[in-house]
């Protein structure tokens, strides 16, 4: 924009300057020429009274020299040669003598003025005054140079002023764009200082109001989630009491462990919902969404959540394998032996595994086999969950949150956001088992800083395999 404004100022000022400069230059040249011709005519007219008094060549030459020191003033006396070096063509000179008319016109090399004078005895003398070309253009180039200098100065000044004004507008626009980008990436504290033209100042004020309102709405939403999660503690207490009454039965230990796991998860949800709105990798995916053109690139190396994806998958698969045995499901697990560090916490990876395996249990019949696999590639870790169910007929619709028939779509949305947060992606295909095959790729985490495991990762207790 700044360059465009300067270009517009340059074009407009140049056209205005040229529209005045060209006619003014022609006018200056015309005035200089007219002044030279007028001066020549005046010198010739001034010598005419001398001819009426005397025709002595010496006196005439002395008078001509006093009027024109350049010796371009010549007198043609009847019956004798010219008194000086003549430049007048013979035809013009004869016409002035016979026709007794004053002639002033341009000839080769300059301008000629012929002034006839009637002498006593009805004879005609002609006064010639020649003006060379250099005298007709004397000072024109200097005048043109001054005008060009003024025009260039005017153009440069207008471009400079337009550039300064454009810089102010561009600076305001860039700050507003940077703040919008930061807000889109999850920085809820970003604000702009309204500046620039009134329209941009209004846009800055509106942006600040929008960011403030967005923060308030998110805070209210998180508090609502915490309140709803807290309300689940009442039925959870009832489950505790029911499990205590079942003490001594074979199922009591399993029910008590499941209730304990549920209480741990519920407490984690309440704690996460009531933390400040500083968002991590999963939060960036939630607030910012997936940008146009595909997933976000992997974030730069930084200090943050970090875990071994294969280890978390192993623990969560062990938890779900107990339920799989009860439903006569064949559950296979294939883990790579290579390092599988990703820039997510244990909770984030566990949430992805629980969502994908939970979908298998919810949407396939008992006895349907499932498989879990963790594969390490050159730049990513891939989590594959497949089953032998009916599959997913419309993968694109299934990836849209809440659009699936009979499902909220939150499970796939959780997995997709976790992948996007690391710069990865999620794919849905057909499994060799006959059902759906969901592949979630996570970009490998950068080299871990000294100090080992990242803080803030809560370990989930793995459900022991039933013997």
């Amino acid at each position: 924009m700044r360059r465009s404004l300067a270009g517009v100022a340059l074009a407009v000022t140049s056209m205005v300057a040229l529209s005045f400069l060209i006619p003014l230059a022609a006018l200056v040249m015309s005035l200089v020429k007219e002044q030279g011709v007028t001066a020549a005519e005046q010198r010739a007219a001034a010598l005419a009274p001398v001819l009426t008094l005397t025709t002595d060549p010496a006196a005439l030459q002395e008078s001509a020299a006093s009027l024109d020191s350049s010796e371009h003033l010549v007198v043609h006396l009847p019956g004798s040669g010219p008194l000086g070096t003549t430049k007048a063509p013979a035809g013009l000179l004869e016409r002035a003598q016979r026709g007794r008319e004053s002639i002033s016109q341009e000839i080769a090399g300059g301008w000629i003025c012929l002034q006839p004078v009637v002498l006593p005895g009805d004879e005609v003398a002609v006064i010639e005054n020649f003006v060379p070309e250099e005298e007709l253009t004397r000072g024109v180039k200097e005048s043109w140079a001054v005008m060009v200098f003024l025009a260039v100065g005017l153009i440069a000044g207008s471009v400079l002023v337009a550039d300064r004004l454009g810089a102010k507008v561009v600076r305001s626009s860039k700050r507003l764009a940077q703040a919008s980008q930061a807000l889109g990436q999850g920085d809820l504290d970003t604000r702009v200082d309204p500046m620039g033209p009134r329209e941009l100042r209004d846009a800055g004020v509106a942006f600040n109001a929008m960011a403030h309102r967005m923060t308030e709405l998110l805070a209210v939403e998180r508090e609502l989630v915490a309140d709803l999660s807290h309300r689940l503690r009442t039925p959870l207490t009832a489950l505790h009491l029911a499990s205590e009454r079942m003490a001594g039965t074979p199922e009591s230990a399993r029910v008590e462990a499941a209730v304990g796991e549920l209480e741990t998860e519920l407490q984690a949800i309440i704690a996460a919902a009531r933390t400040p709105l500083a968002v991590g990798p999963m939060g960036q995916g939630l607030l910012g969404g997936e940008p146009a053109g595909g997933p976000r690139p992997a974030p730069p190396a930084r200090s943050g959540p970090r875990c071994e994806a294969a280890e978390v998958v192993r623990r969560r698969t062990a938890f779900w394998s107990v339920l799989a045995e009860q439903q006569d499901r064949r559950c296979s697990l294939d883990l790579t032996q290579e390092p599988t560090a990703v820039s997510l916490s244990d909770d984030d990876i566990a949430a992805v595994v629980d969502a994908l395996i939970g979908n298998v249990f919810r949407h396939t019949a008992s006895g349907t086999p499932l498989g879990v696999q963790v594969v390490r590639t050159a730049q990513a870790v891939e989590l594959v969950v497949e089953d032998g169910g009916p599959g997913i007929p419309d993968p694109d619709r299934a990836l849209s949150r809440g659009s699936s028939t009979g499902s909220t779509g939150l499970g796939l949305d959780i997995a997709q956001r976790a992948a996007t947060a690391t710069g990865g992606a999620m794919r849905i295909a057909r499994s060799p088992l006959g059902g759906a095959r969901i592949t979630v790729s996570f970009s490998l985490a950068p080299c871990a800083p000294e100090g080992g495991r990242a803080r803030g990762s809560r370990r989930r207790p793995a459900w022991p395999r039933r013997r």
Side-chain angles (χ1 to χ4, degrees):
M1 180 184 293
R2 181 176 176 181
R3 185 177 299 176
S4 299
L5 290 175
V8 170
L10 175 63
V12 172
T13 312
S14 299
M15 288 188 293
V16 173
L18 288 176
S19 64
F20 282 96
L21 188 62
I22 295 176
L24 187 59
L27 178 62
V28 168
M29 186 172 183
S30 175
L31 288 176
V32 171
K33 183 176 182 180
E34 184 178 352
Q35 288 177 355
V37 172
T38 302
E41 292 175 349
Q42 289 176 350
R43 287 193 294 269
L47 188 60
V50 178
L51 280 172
T52 59
L53 298 176
T54 179
T55 56
D56 181 45
L60 291 175
Q61 287 180 341
E62 183 179 356
S63 299
S66 64
L67 293 173
D68 186 3
S69 58
S70 58
E71 298 183 355
H72 292 307
L73 194 60
V74 179
V75 178
H76 298 269
L77 295 174
S80 63
L83 301 179
T85 305
T86 181
K87 300 288 185 180
L92 288 179
L93 185 60
E94 183 178 359
R95 196 177 85 184
Q97 287 177 340
R98 290 185 178 182
R100 300 182 181 184
E101 61 176 319
S102 299
I103 298 176
S104 179
Q105 70 177 47
E106 187 177 7
I107 62 173
W111 193 274
I112 192 73
C113 295
L114 300 177
Q115 178 68 43
V117 179
V118 179
L119 300 178
D122 199 28
E123 293 182 325
V124 179
V126 178
I127 302 174
E128 171 192 338
N129 195 354
F130 175 73
V131 184
E133 184 69 28
E134 56 269 15
E135 290 188 12
L136 294 176
T137 58
R138 181 178 299 170
V140 172
K141 293 183 179 179
E142 290 78 1
S143 300
W144 285 359
V146 172
M147 288 187 292
V148 169
F149 177 77
L150 293 176
V152 171
L154 178 62
I155 294 173
S158 66
V159 171
L160 180 61
V161 172
D163 180 72
R164 291 296 89 198
L165 294 176
K168 190 175 182 179
V169 174
V170 169
R171 191 182 305 114
S172 302
S173 302
K174 282 186 177 180
R175 289 185 180 180
L176 186 58
Q178 291 170 355
S180 301
Q181 185 177 9
L183 183 64
Q185 292 176 351
D187 185 4
L188 300 179
D189 294 329
T190 185
R191 297 293 186 273
V192 296
D193 183 17
M195 60 180 298
R198 182 174 60 85
E199 291 79 5
L200 287 177
R201 291 199 303 270
D202 294 342
V205 172
F207 173 85
N208 290 339
M210 177 194 67
H212 181 70
R213 181 59 177 163
M214 182 183 298
T215 304
E216 288 182 345
L217 292 176
L218 287 174
V220 171
E221 182 181 355
R222 290 166 66 89
E223 190 64 27
L224 179 60
V225 171
D227 292 342
L228 293 176
S229 301
H230 191 272
R231 291 167 60 183
L232 292 177
R233 284 186 170 181
T234 299
L236 188 62
T237 302
L239 286 177
H240 268 299
L241 296 176
S243 65
E244 290 177 359
R245 288 195 297 268
M246 294 172 58
T249 63
E251 298 295 328
S252 62
R254 185 179 65 83
V255 173
E256 184 64 29
V259 172
E261 176 71 12
L262 180 59
E263 185 174 12
T264 302
E265 292 292 334
L266 192 59
Q267 183 63 32
I269 292 174
I270 296 174
R274 287 182 172 171
T275 54
L277 285 174
V279 291
M282 287 285 283
Q284 289 175 2
L286 175 62
L287 295 178
E290 183 174 331
R296 286 190 181 90
R302 56 181 176 82
S303 176
R306 183 187 181 89
C307 72
E308 283 291 330
E311 175 61 21
V312 179
V313 172
R314 183 193 64 77
R315 296 201 309 267
R316 299 311 301 163
T317 305
F319 171 80
W320 286 99
S321 64
V322 178
L323 183 58
E325 290 181 5
Q326 293 179 355
Q327 296 185 359
D328 296 327
R329 295 178 184 268
R330 180 171 53 85
C331 180
S332 63
L333 177 63
D334 184 9
L335 302 177
T336 180
Q337 299 301 316
E338 298 182 71
T340 56
V342 296
S343 298
L344 292 173
S345 66
D346 289 4
D347 291 344
D348 294 334
I349 296 296
V352 173
V353 177
D354 290 344
L356 296 181
I357 297 181
N359 280 345
V360 176
F361 279 85
R362 280 189 295 271
H363 301 294
T364 61
S366 298
T368 302
L370 67 96
V372 181
Q373 185 180 11
V374 176
V375 181
R376 162 73 183 268
T377 64
Q379 298 180 349
V381 175
E382 293 186 350
L383 168 63
V384 181
V385 177
E386 54 187 348
D387 62 74
I392 300 177
D394 190 352
D396 294 334
R397 185 180 180 187
L399 291 176
S400 299
R401 185 171 181 171
S403 64
S404 299
T405 303
S407 171
T408 62
L410 294 178
L412 295 180
D413 182 70
I414 291 173
Q416 188 176 32
R417 288 192 290 109
T420 302
T422 65
M426 186 175 72
R427 304 185 301 275
I428 299 178
R430 198 72 179 178
S431 168
L433 298 177
R437 177 184 176 90
I438 301 177
T439 303
V440 185
S441 62
F442 308 99
S443 297
L444 286 171
C447 296
E450 296 297 331
R453 182 184 178 89
R455 298 179 180 179
S457 177
R458 176 175 53 82
R459 297 182 61 89
R460 296 171 179 255
W463 183 269
R465 181 178 294 274
R466 188 173 64 179
R467 298 181 182 277

